[in-house]
Amino acid sequence: MLSPFFAKCDGVLLIDPDGAQKQEFRANSERTGEATCDLILATGITKLICGFIDEADRSLLSALGLDIRLGSCSRPVTILAREFDILPKA
């Protein structure tokens, strides 16, 4: 499930967009907004789903080319990933 707190999330789950069902978890040991952004940028991803993201972090990541969408924290992440294109933009 998604964390409702962007900066305090315990990590990033990478899901293979090609449907190969490959997943990789990368821990966020520092749990700060800056550390979370750095972790996301280090992955090289271009799409991000969050339960919440504050304006400063959203602006930074969007300016660097990430397509950020909001997803319900009560829905499984794998389903949200499949529905990425219909999720609301952050």
Side-chain angles (χ1 to χ4, degrees):
M1 300 296 181
L2 291 177
S3 170
F5 307 106
F6 178 79
K8 301 292 183 186
C9 72
D10 59 353
V12 174
L13 179 64
L14 303 174
I15 300 174
D16 184 348
D18 296 325
Q21 300 298 328
K22 182 180 176 193
Q23 297 181 5
E24 177 185 344
F25 180 78
R26 297 193 185 176
N28 180 19
S29 58
E30 293 183 44
R31 295 189 179 200
T32 65
E34 182 178 353
T36 303
C37 287
D38 289 345
L39 177 63
I40 290 166
L41 293 171
T43 67
I45 63 170
T46 58
K47 296 179 178 181
L48 177 67
I49 303 171
C50 302
F52 169 82
I53 184 168
D54 67 45
E55 185 176 342
D57 293 330
R58 178 183 48 80
S59 294
L60 170 68
L61 295 174
S62 292
L64 293 171
L66 270 78
D67 183 355
I68 305 169
R69 306 294 176 106
L70 297 176
S72 170
C73 296
S74 65
R75 300 196 61 216
V77 175
T78 53
I79 292 174
L80 293 172
R82 282 195 309 259
E83 299 176 346
F84 182 86
D85 291 330
I86 63 172
L87 295 175
K89 291 188 177 270

